[in-house]
């Protein structure tokens, strides 16, 4: 029993369409042990864990539980193997009480008895040191309480292999410490705990072993006691790969856009941007690097006038008039009336950027319809523009009248970027513009961004691939949990430097 | 007169209560079934067909008719029609994930067409002079009341003088309340309607719950149509006489805040409001129509109040109207 792994994965592979999410992953976790799974965004951590908990089924490979081969085809099978997963996005019914959520879907013998369940929940709370009122409704709870409900839910089902998907992403440092204390108590109780994270200091302070994934591939497992932050970062980001993206020297740099001490909170009242300050010059590409959800989206939306900020200023230096205008908390229309030519290529192409059911011409018109003088739409200009984009950017489409949603991801992006560039912007913001694109389309986009830069446009590029950021951008701003953790020179920065700044969080600084 | 008013309001409220209880069960699984008016109409014509065939088989003579079969046959044909329509709706919206509103509205149009087609055919078959078909013998058995009800004065008339389907409606609403709030099945069903991904992750068969809730809901709603024909209309079917009761049942769901027990009271209120114009003196035709709007006005007021108060328990199931697909990323 002692050297028998509680769970072992052998050569697990999973693909979604043409995207390989996991490739030949091997993993081992024992009882009485905390294993961390470390990796960047899109490295396949969550996909891997979803295969253990029955949400996805692996295309290839085997899973062993206590040495026995196991087939986990549904979440129910996972329960039967005593595997419990705590998802990053809580799976709770808001109008139910904690106890109702915990017993949901259980097939217990005997009558439905909420009282007995509540008593058992209280007993579990006492055993591991949780604080929870089983009668409390979920929608009145704070995030950390909801997480507690999720953890008790799997314990109530008798799980002894617990998987936690980025449990600390939503917690304050104090709550994190509390959670870690609970997890340590569970480890002493002989449970096997797997925790997905990208925060290095947590890995080092909590886990016994660390398994690292990079771009879906398994890099290796090391013992925490025998490793260091530097080694883990290198395993996580990998060696630098040369992409040969052209990069010209910025010419006569003058400040185009300044962001001063911007704070912004989301609907739940959590601070998503915390005192963010930086500037962008005309004729340069500023890269923004960071773990997904660190505030990149909010930052761009604050600049574009799509999101209100709590305080701070967004100053635009108008090259024509020489005026400096504050764009903070103005609507996109007001911004345009100030004569600011701002183009935004959003992350959600078909949600925010284009209308999927409309054709290319109509999508061009979305940006120009205001210019029309008569009551009728002027279709000639947009149609010419659509045809020009199709020709110049080599968009593969049957014609300008094809609905955009029928185009492939790369072609959709070309249409969107083409339209935004056609507005001859002075500031161009692009969020993950090459996500899901093949190599050739990606290079087309890089070239377009470079052309804009040479025309003197201030380009903001939010990216996830560090290799691209390091080769394309003149400067790289790193954002972590809504804070600017560093601004680096794109020509001299190393991958490790960026990686370390990305994972640097409040908790790490306090130590 | 007040006794008659109350008794009449109860009679009017029963089809609404069936429709609302059925719709609540369906909506609790996350499906907004706007096909309910059509399904109630389908349930009505189903029962009429069953009753018609049985009456004919007995040679249209009351003494040949077995009271149990007289009730059972229309009941089963009614349920058959409404469950089939519920199955169409579930197949479209659960399996094919078609838009629920469009499917529901189509089903309502379909149900009314179906009812009118069979209704018209039956009228033609008996070569009646009137554009209606009377199943008075069946209706009499459906409407059999307790023998001592007449001796109990106003109490008897209000509480004991109704047909058995009226009491069944209240019983079904109470049972539905109990199942939803006090059983594991109810907990699972509510979870499916609130958050199907959570229910799925908890090992609940979401598709099965949606299908079963929709079909049982349709069966219950269809009984409302049957009760309308057999008790309210004294067994007389004429095309389009059912009116907008189906829509009122859907309004009642909102009024009752998705609680079947509340629907009992709400249905009575709606019944009373629908009926009030006959009991208020000195109304012209135009003011009568204004009175008929009252149930909808009350529903709007409830909707405004609950929206303002924003109490989460009083909101519709969270994923009402949204299709669920597990592997959506």
């Amino acid at each position: 029993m002692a050297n028998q792994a509680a769970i072992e994965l052998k050569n697990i592979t999973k693909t979604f369409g043409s995207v390989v999410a996991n490739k030949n992953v091997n993993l081992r976790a024992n009882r009485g042990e905390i294993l961390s799974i470390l990796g960047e965004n899109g490295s396949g951590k969550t996909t891997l864990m979803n295969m253990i908990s029955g949400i996805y089924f692996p295309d290839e490979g085997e899973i062993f539980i206590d040495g026995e081969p196991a087939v986990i085809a549904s979440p129910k099978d996972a329960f039967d193997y005593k595997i419990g997963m705590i998802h990053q996005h809580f799976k709770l019914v808001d109008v139910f009480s904690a106890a109702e959520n915990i017993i949901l879907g259980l097939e217990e013998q005997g009558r439905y008895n909420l009282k007995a369940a509540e008593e058992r929940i209280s007993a579990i709370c006492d055993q591991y040191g949780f604080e929870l009122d089983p009668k409390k409704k979920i929608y009145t709870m704070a995030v950390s309480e909801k997480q507690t409900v999720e953890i008790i839910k799997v314990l109530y089902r008798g799980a002894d292999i617990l998987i936690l998907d980025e449990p600390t992403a939503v917690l304050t440092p104090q709550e994190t410490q509390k959670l870690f204390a609970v997890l340590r108590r569970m480890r002493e109780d002989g449970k096997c705990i797997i925790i997905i994270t990208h925060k290095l200091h947590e890995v080092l302070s909590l886990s016994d072993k660390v398994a690292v994934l990079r771009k879906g591939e398994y890099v290796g497992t090391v013992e925490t006691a025998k490793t260091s932050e530097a080694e883990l970062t290198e395993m996580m980001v990998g060696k630098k790969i040369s992409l040969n993206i052209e990069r010209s020297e910025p010419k006569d740099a003058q400040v185009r856009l300044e962001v001063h001490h911007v704070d912004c909170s989301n609907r739940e009242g959590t601070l998503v941007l915390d005192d963010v300050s930086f500037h962008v010059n005309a004729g340069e590409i500023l890269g923004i690097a960071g773990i997904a959800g660190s505030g990149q989206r909010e930052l761009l939306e604050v600049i574009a006038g799509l999101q209100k900020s709590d305080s701070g200023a967004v100053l635009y230096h108008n090259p024509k008039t020489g005026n400096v205008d504050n764009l903070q908390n103005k609507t996109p229309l007001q911004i345009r009336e100030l004569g600011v030519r701002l183009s935004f290529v959003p992350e959600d192409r078909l949600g925010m950027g284009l209308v999927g059911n409309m054709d290319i011409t109509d999508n061009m018109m979305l940006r120009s319809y205001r210019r029309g003088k008569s009551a009728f739409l002027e279709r000639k200009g947009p149609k010419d523009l659509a045809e020009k984009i199709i020709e110049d950017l080599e968009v593969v489409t049957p014609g300008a009248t094809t609905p955009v949603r029928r185009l492939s991801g790369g072609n959709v992006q070309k249409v969107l970027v083409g339209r935004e560039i056609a507005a001859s912007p002075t500031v161009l913001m692009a969020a993950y513009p090459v996500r899901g694109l093949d190599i050739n389309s990606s290079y087309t986009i890089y070239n377009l961004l470079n052309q804009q830069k040479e025309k003197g446009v201030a380009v903001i590029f939010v990216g996830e691939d560090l290799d691209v950021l390091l080769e394309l951008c003149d400067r790289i701003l790193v954002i972590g949990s809504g804070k600017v953790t560093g601004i680096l020179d794109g020509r001299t920065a190393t991958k490790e430097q960026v990686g370390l700044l990305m994972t640097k969080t409040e908790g790490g600084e306090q130590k | 007169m007040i006794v008659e008013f109350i008794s009449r309001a109860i009679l009017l409220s029963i089809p609404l209560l069936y429709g609302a209880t059925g719709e609540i069960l369906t909506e609790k699984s996350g499906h907004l079934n706007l096909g309910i008016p059509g399904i109630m109409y389908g349930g009505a014509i189903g029962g009429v067909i069953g009753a018609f065939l049985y009456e004919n088989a007995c040679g249209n003579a009351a003494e040949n008719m077995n009271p149990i079969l007289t009730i059972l046959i229309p009941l089963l044909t009614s349920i058959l029609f409404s469950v089939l329509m519920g199955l169409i709706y579930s197949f479209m919206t659960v399996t094919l994930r078609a838009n629920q509103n469009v499917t529901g509205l189509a089903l309502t149009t379909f149900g009314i067409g179906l009812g009118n087609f069979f209704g018209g055919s039956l009228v033609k078959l008996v070569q009646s002079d009137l554009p209606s078909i009377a199943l008075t013998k069946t209706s009499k058995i459906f409407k059999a009341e307790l023998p001592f009800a007449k001796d109990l004065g106003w109490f008897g008339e209000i509480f004991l003088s109704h047909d058995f389907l009226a009491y069944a409606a209240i019983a079904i609403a109470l049972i539905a309340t109990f199942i939803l709030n006090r059983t594991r099945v109810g907990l699972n069903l509510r979870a499916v309607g609130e958050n199907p991904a959570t229910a799925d992750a908890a090992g609940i068969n979401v598709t099965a719950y949606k299908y079963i809730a929709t079909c049982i809901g349709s069966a219950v709603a269809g009984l409302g149509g049957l009760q309308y024909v057999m008790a309210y209309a004294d067994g007389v079917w004429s095309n389009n006489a059912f009116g907008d009761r189906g829509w009122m049942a859907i309004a009642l769901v909102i009024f009752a805040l998705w609680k079947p027990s509340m629907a009992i009271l709400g249905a009575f209120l709606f019944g009373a409001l629908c009926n009030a114009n006959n009991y208020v003196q000195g109304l012209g035709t135009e003011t009568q129509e204004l009175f008929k709007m009252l149930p909808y006005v009350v529903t709007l007021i409830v909707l405004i109040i609950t929206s303002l108060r924003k109490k989460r328990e009083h909101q519709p199931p969270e994923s009402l109207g949204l299709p669920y697909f597990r592997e959506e990323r």
Side-chain angles (χ1 to χ4, degrees):
Chain A
M1 210 32 214
N3 47 16
Q4 182 83 285
I7 184 159
E8 186 168 8
L9 307 183
K10 280 187 184 161
N11 295 321
I12 295 285
T13 298
K14 175 80 184 172
T15 52
F16 293 102
S18 61
V19 184
V20 181
N22 282 132
K23 195 175 162 195
N24 289 328
V25 176
N26 292 285
L27 209 65
R28 236 180 115 89
N30 299 321
R31 281 178 211 286
E33 186 179 272
I34 298 178
L35 171 76
S36 290
I37 298 191
L38 186 68
E40 284 184 283
N41 305 309
S43 57
K45 296 170 297 199
T46 304
T47 307
L48 184 66
M49 290 304 114
N50 276 341
M51 280 188 275
I52 304 179
S53 62
I55 308 239
Y56 301 138
F57 195 76
D59 297 339
E60 279 167 44
E62 287 170 296
I63 300 175
F64 295 88
I65 310 275
D66 292 328
E68 301 285 321
V71 178
I72 305 171
S74 72
K76 212 165 163 291
D77 292 349
F79 293 148
D80 294 342
Y81 287 113
K82 302 195 165 184
I83 299 168
M85 178 148 173
I86 291 104
H87 294 271
Q88 195 178 4
H89 303 285
F90 301 136
K91 301 208 164 181
L92 296 170
V93 180
D94 276 351
V95 294
F96 284 12
S97 72
E100 284 177 317
N101 266 294
I102 289 167
I103 62 168
L104 184 65
L106 274 182
E107 283 162 17
E108 281 181 321
Q109 295 296 311
R111 273 190 61 234
Y112 170 72
N113 190 340
L114 205 55
K115 257 224 167 72
E118 282 166 3
E119 277 161 24
R120 256 191 73 193
I121 291 164
S122 298
I124 293 174
C125 289
D126 293 343
Q127 188 186 348
Y128 294 107
F130 292 108
E131 286 161 29
L132 182 75
D133 173 9
K135 285 200 177 68
K136 200 169 175 187
K137 291 270 166 77
I138 300 297
Y139 67 86
T140 62
M141 287 186 176
V143 201
S144 62
E145 283 177 288
K146 290 184 191 173
Q147 190 178 57
T148 307
V149 176
E150 285 280 12
I151 298 174
I152 295 177
K153 190 156 100 184
V154 300
L155 291 174
Y156 191 91
R157 276 149 223 256
D160 49 21
I161 301 170
L162 273 86
I163 305 164
L164 295 99
D165 189 356
E166 301 200 9
T168 57
V170 293
L171 300 182
T172 64
Q174 290 82 358
E175 288 166 339
T176 304
Q177 290 311 316
K178 254 190 196 168
L179 173 71
F180 284 1
V182 169
L183 292 180
R184 289 192 185 103
R185 220 162 299 162
M186 288 183 196
R187 167 172 66 186
E188 281 152 31
D189 204 36
K191 295 198 186 296
C192 167
I193 294 165
I194 303 176
I195 164 169
I196 300 178
T197 182
H198 47 239
K199 294 183 186 168
L200 280 174
H201 67 276
E202 292 179 3
V203 171
L204 294 169
S205 75
L206 180 71
S207 58
D208 302 297
K209 282 187 194 161
V210 192
V212 183
L213 295 182
R214 188 202 309 144
K215 291 182 181 161
E217 287 184 53
Y218 174 70
V219 182
T221 304
V222 287
E223 286 191 30
T224 316
K226 292 179 190 158
T227 187
S228 64
E229 246 179 73
E231 189 192 1
L232 287 177
T233 311
E234 202 194 303
M235 285 174 81
M236 194 164 100
V237 295
K239 291 262 181 292
K240 190 163 164 24
I241 307 160
S242 185
L243 297 167
N244 296 319
I245 302 172
E246 279 174 45
R247 173 162 55 188
S248 57
E249 284 294 325
K251 291 173 281 208
D252 101 87
Q254 50 180 185
V255 177
R256 175 59 37 85
L257 191 74
E258 277 180 280
V259 173
H260 280 298
H261 307 288
V262 163
D263 285 346
C264 172
S265 13
N266 63 8
R267 261 192 302 169
E268 283 84 44
T270 336
L271 217 53
V272 281
L273 289 180
D274 186 357
D275 197 21
V276 171
S277 297
F278 66 93
H279 70 272
V280 200
N281 293 330
E284 74 162 359
I285 299 182
L286 176 76
I288 297 185
I291 304 288
S294 300
Q296 299 95 320
R297 184 198 171 110
E298 287 80 2
L299 179 59
L300 295 194
E301 289 188 355
V302 162
I303 297 173
L306 299 171
Q307 169 127 20
K308 288 234 181 309
S309 48
D310 305 338
S311 62
V314 180
L315 300 179
Y316 174 75
H317 297 254
N318 196 323
K320 276 213 184 108
T321 59
N323 289 344
V324 179
D325 299 310
N326 188 357
L327 311 182
Q328 195 221 3
N329 289 350
K330 289 211 163 54
T331 65
L333 192 61
Q334 286 171 325
I335 291 177
R336 199 175 301 175
E337 277 164 0
L338 278 173
V340 180
R341 290 207 307 277
L342 193 73
S343 282
F344 183 23
V345 179
E347 187 180 340
D348 184 6
R349 290 163 208 163
L350 286 179
M352 274 173 77
L354 300 168
V355 180
N357 281 334
M358 294 188 351
D359 66 25
I360 302 176
T361 308
D362 286 351
N363 269 298
M364 294 302 136
M365 219 159 2
L366 285 180
R367 227 177 183 300
S368 63
Y369 72 98
R370 268 177 218 288
R371 256 179 262 145
K373 297 257 173 349
S374 79
F376 298 101
L377 290 172
E378 190 256 292
R379 292 188 67 92
K380 180 91 178 58
K383 189 158 181 283
D384 291 346
L385 177 59
E387 271 155 12
K388 187 170 177 296
I389 288 174
I390 292 171
E391 204 184 299
D392 289 357
L393 305 187
E394 293 165 358
V395 179
V396 182
T397 169
T401 52
T402 309
V404 170
R405 102 190 112 80
R406 293 230 208 106
L407 305 183
S408 73
N411 289 311
V412 168
Q413 188 67 312
K414 284 182 196 167
V415 171
L416 178 56
V417 173
R419 184 187 73 189
E420 292 303 315
I421 288 173
S424 49
T426 50
V427 178
L428 173 65
M429 299 191 289
Y432 308 109
V434 296
R435 184 181 276 176
L437 268 55
D438 61 33
I439 303 282
N440 284 330
S441 308
S442 300
Y443 276 92
T444 313
I445 302 290
Y446 301 146
N447 287 337
L448 285 171
L449 294 180
N450 269 325
Q451 281 168 17
Q452 292 303 306
K453 166 183 161 183
E454 275 155 30
K455 278 188 191 162
V457 177
V459 181
I460 302 178
F461 172 84
V462 178
E464 45 196 347
D465 191 329
L466 295 186
D467 291 316
V468 173
L469 281 163
L470 286 168
E471 290 210 10
L472 179 69
C473 304
D474 300 298
R475 289 185 304 140
I476 298 172
L477 178 145
V478 189
I479 191 165
S481 306
K483 281 188 173 173
V484 176
T485 50
I487 297 178
L488 305 168
D489 187 316
R491 287 175 178 76
T492 56
T494 65
K495 226 171 163 180
E496 286 72 25
Q497 270 179 314
V498 181
L500 266 177
L501 285 171
M502 275 164 65
T503 49
K504 191 165 122 187
T505 50
E506 275 171 71
E509 283 165 352
Q510 279 176 0
K511 275 195 181 169
Chain B
M1 197 175 95
I2 187 98
V3 171
E4 191 198 322
F5 172 68
I6 293 174
S7 181
R8 198 81 197 137
I10 292 175
L11 187 61
L12 269 167
S13 76
I14 299 302
L16 305 184
L17 179 55
Y18 272 115
T21 308
E23 178 70 7
I24 289 172
L25 287 176
T26 307
E27 289 197 15
K28 283 289 179 187
S29 76
H31 283 245
L32 179 68
N33 188 355
L34 291 181
I36 283 291
I39 289 172
M40 293 177 79
Y41 207 72
I45 194 67
V48 166
I49 293 172
F52 178 82
L53 293 178
Y54 186 64
E55 278 197 12
N56 266 2
C58 296
N60 287 321
E63 56 276 11
N64 290 343
M65 287 165 72
N66 177 336
I68 294 179
L69 282 180
T70 310
I71 285 179
L72 220 54
I73 289 173
L75 209 58
L76 288 178
T77 49
S78 165
I79 289 175
L80 180 77
F81 267 63
S82 44
V83 167
L84 273 178
M85 292 177 72
L87 270 177
I88 295 174
Y89 177 83
S90 328
F91 179 71
M92 294 290 291
T93 57
V94 183
T95 307
L96 302 180
R97 288 186 288 277
N99 181 302
Q100 297 183 10
N101 296 343
V102 175
T103 311
L105 290 172
L107 203 61
T108 285
T109 316
F110 169 70
I112 290 171
L114 185 85
N116 287 347
F117 169 72
F118 281 113
S121 310
L122 291 181
V123 171
K124 213 159 188 192
L125 217 64
V126 295
Q127 293 179 332
S128 156
D129 299 331
L130 298 167
S132 63
I133 172 160
L135 300 159
T136 30
K137 292 180 277 294
T138 309
S139 165
K140 217 171 222 162
I141 294 173
F142 263 88
K143 284 181 77 176
E145 54 184 58
L146 294 169
F148 49 83
K150 287 221 166 49
D151 309 330
L152 292 171
W154 63 268
F155 183 82
E157 187 171 350
I158 291 178
F159 294 108
L160 302 173
S161 70
H162 302 286
D163 59 298
F164 80 96
L165 278 175
Y167 301 108
I170 293 168
I172 290 173
L174 291 175
I175 292 169
T177 305
F178 178 81
I179 289 177
L180 284 175
N181 296 326
R182 293 268 182 277
T183 65
R184 205 162 275 143
V185 172
L187 185 73
N188 293 354
L189 175 61
R190 283 188 288 141
V192 168
E194 291 287 340
N195 194 334
T198 299
D200 198 11
I204 296 169
N205 188 338
V206 174
T207 307
Y209 266 91
K210 282 177 179 256
Y211 261 88
I212 292 170
T214 305
C215 290
I216 293 181
S218 300
V220 171
L223 289 181
L226 181 69
Q227 195 272 349
Y228 165 80
V229 178
M230 292 304 167
Y232 182 85
D234 293 316
V236 178
W237 168 276
S238 36
N239 281 354
N240 295 326
F242 189 67
D244 57 358
R245 287 179 171 77
W247 297 116
M248 227 187 274
I250 291 176
L252 179 57
V253 173
I254 301 166
F255 178 86
L257 305 172
W258 292 266
K259 292 180 181 67
S261 53
M262 271 288 284
I264 301 176
L265 298 175
F268 175 72
L269 179 70
F270 276 32
L273 289 174
C274 287
N275 202 17
N277 59 330
N278 295 325
Y279 291 84
V280 177
Q281 301 294 318
L283 289 179
T285 26
E286 68 286 355
T287 31
Q288 277 197 4
E289 294 300 321
L290 281 179
F291 255 81
K292 286 183 191 162
M293 281 167 41
L294 283 176
Y296 299 104
V297 174
V298 173
T299 303
L300 275 178
I301 292 171
V302 169
L303 208 57
I304 291 168
I305 293 173
T306 51
S307 306
L308 284 178
R309 287 185 58 203
K310 285 191 178 139
K311 191 154 187 247
R312 286 294 293 271
E313 282 85 350
H314 291 166
Q315 300 304 318
E318 209 175 306
S319 61
L320 185 63
L322 306 173
Y324 174 62
F325 181 43
R326 183 192 283 175
E327 299 213 357
E328 209 152 70
R329 270 164 62 99

